[in-house]
Amino acid sequence: MLSIFGIIGFIVLQAGNKTTVADARQDLLTLASRLQDEHILIKKWSLYSRETLESVKSGKDRENLVRELKGKFSGWSWTESKKENQHIVTATNVSSQMNETLKIISTVTNGQIHTYLLYEVKGGSWDKRSESFLDGNLPVRLADIFENSPETFSCIEGVISDKMDEALPNYMDGLLKAFDATEIEALEEDTFMSTSAYSPLFAGQLSKDHDMNLQLGLRKPDGMGGKTTIVVGTPIITIEY
């Protein structure tokens, strides 16, 4: 199920607060630390950043930007696709540790060009290499890609022991306490629960009109056995779960 609150969140992204590189790094480290304190095994993590490029006003501006980025990331794999009113340039960097994707997306509306720069990094289990990337590579990477401070979203997916037999609301309450968070709204089903909250541990919030900066999702497996899955993100969950 796609996060319902996440869909709502993306609708209002344009009003969202900016997140600095230091905040983005710290938010992901905080998510990982608090989940590990709760004995949750981290299976996946991701960081997604996005910026609208006001300086790109023409196709020539876009070509200059792509040329500049290709120079900085010459070792990455680059592809290009065009549709009627959309031009997408994609660069990927795949390693055993993580996958990075960079996209330059331009659309033309009423003769006006709008360009967006997107960067995403995804990793598997959380370890010292993950922390090393956040401490060393990430600040340099974001500084090389973005003109200003981009909108940034951090997500982690993990699993809870199959011995956990508490009701989802009870376990969700424990997670909210772990993040010093206050619940704002929640969606509950038999085997699924999603909660939006506010936590002082994280720098930003969804927007000026939405005092929310944390989402948590819990899903129990169908039938007997298996492990309960948890997904947590700040300020919203940006992956399917």
Side-chain angles (χ1 to χ4, degrees):
M1 177 184 292
L2 186 65
S3 168
I4 294 175
F5 297 129
I7 296 171
I8 297 172
F10 274 115
I11 295 173
V12 297
L13 277 186
Q14 292 302 326
N17 291 348
K18 300 296 183 181
T19 303
T20 67
V21 172
D23 290 338
R25 168 191 166 278
Q26 187 57 50
D27 284 351
L28 194 52
L29 289 172
T30 299
L31 288 177
S33 175
R34 295 290 168 130
L35 290 177
Q36 288 178 324
D37 287 345
E38 295 299 307
H39 307 291
I40 292 171
L41 178 63
I42 296 174
K43 304 293 288 185
K44 299 177 184 177
W45 61 268
S46 67
L47 184 141
Y48 170 89
S49 295
R50 175 189 179 217
E51 183 179 15
T52 302
L53 299 180
E54 303 292 346
S55 62
V56 178
K57 303 178 185 293
S58 66
K60 184 175 179 60
D61 290 340
R62 182 188 62 233
E63 291 173 5
N64 290 338
L65 172 65
V66 172
R67 188 180 304 112
E68 178 185 349
L69 290 172
K70 281 186 174 180
K72 292 178 179 178
F73 302 101
S74 57
W76 292 27
S77 299
W78 290 81
T79 59
E80 188 172 349
S81 63
K82 297 179 181 179
K83 297 181 181 179
E84 184 176 353
N85 294 315
Q86 189 176 69
H87 184 278
I88 302 175
V89 177
T90 303
T92 56
N93 182 41
V94 179
S95 67
S96 59
Q97 180 183 357
M98 64 194 66
N99 297 341
E100 297 177 88
T101 303
L102 172 62
K103 287 188 177 184
I104 305 101
I105 303 176
S106 291
T107 60
V108 178
T109 306
N110 298 325
Q112 299 270 332
I113 186 170
H114 303 279
T115 300
Y116 306 91
L117 197 52
L118 296 86
Y119 168 78
E120 184 176 36
V121 55
K122 295 180 178 181
S125 58
W126 188 266
D127 53 25
K128 292 296 183 182
R129 293 178 301 172
S130 307
E131 296 182 13
S132 177
F133 176 85
L134 293 178
D135 286 332
N137 298 75
L138 182 66
V140 176
R141 189 78 85 230
L142 296 183
D144 283 343
I145 293 173
F146 295 102
E147 296 179 354
N148 301 299
S149 295
E151 297 161 332
T152 301
F153 307 86
S154 302
C155 284
I156 290 181
E157 179 180 335
V159 292
I160 303 167
S161 170
D162 52 5
K163 296 180 181 179
M164 193 277 284
D165 57 0
E166 291 188 61
L168 290 182
N170 292 339
Y171 203 83
M172 183 66 77
D173 286 343
L175 289 170
L176 290 172
K177 289 179 182 178
F179 286 103
D180 301 329
T182 302
E183 180 182 299
I184 294 174
E185 57 184 351
L187 171 68
E188 183 182 351
E189 299 177 0
D190 290 340
T191 60
F192 170 79
M193 186 172 184
S194 181
T195 298
S196 295
Y198 177 80
S199 168
L201 298 177
F202 303 104
Q205 59 190 59
L206 184 60
S207 74
K208 295 177 181 178
D209 300 321
H210 292 74
D211 190 19
M212 179 189 103
N213 63 3
L214 182 68
Q215 284 189 320
L216 305 100
L218 290 171
R219 178 177 291 281
K220 279 188 172 182
D222 294 328
M224 300 295 292
K227 294 178 171 27
T228 296
T229 300
I230 176 174
V231 180
V232 58
T234 178
I236 58 172
I237 295 172
T238 55
I239 60 176
E240 292 185 5
Y241 69 96

